[in-house]
Amino acid sequence: QVQLVESGGGLVQPGGSLRLSCAASGSIYSINVMAWYRHVPGKERELVATITRSGSASYADSVKGRFTISRDNAKNTVYLQMNSLKPEDTAVYYCEMMVLATGGTYLEIWGQGTQVTVSS
């Protein structure tokens, strides 16, 4: 069994910053790609950022220059540093990982989601 636990969401004023964390635990051999998505009710889920095991990152155009994804392979954790937040960044943020379990099975695992609200 593998599970992800997210933390770090909350309410912030426009222009402010938040840092999300997502830690994986369980029968993990290795984790390849880690990603952050966000979802607003009534809209499609949006891929925000991805990072490979070697640290290569990519971002949605809407967050480039403001958000930074990073990871700690020793802790099986991915982070999303969000700066210069805008009201349109308001969403539920989900982490997602492609995990190679110790039994040799690849698993796509999702976090429980954390609410980010940007409002004055």
Side-chain angles (χ1 to χ4, degrees), residues 56-112:
S56 178
S58 63
Y59 299 91
D61 288 343
S62 58
V63 307
K64 279 181 181 177
R66 300 187 298 120
F67 291 11
T68 301
I69 189 171
S70 61
R71 62 189 285 169
D72 184 332
N73 290 331
K75 296 181 178 179
N76 291 324
T77 300
V78 64
Y79 306 95
L80 186 68
Q81 178 66 44
M82 304 184 293
N83 299 328
S84 301
L85 282 161
K86 304 175 181 179
E88 51 264 43
D89 294 319
T90 296
V92 178
Y93 285 71
Y94 297 89
C95 59
E96 183 251 5
M97 298 187 187
M98 293 301 297
V99 176
L100 177 58
T102 54
T105 303
Y106 280 96
L107 304 171
E108 182 183 25
I109 309 295
W110 290 85
Q112 80 278 13

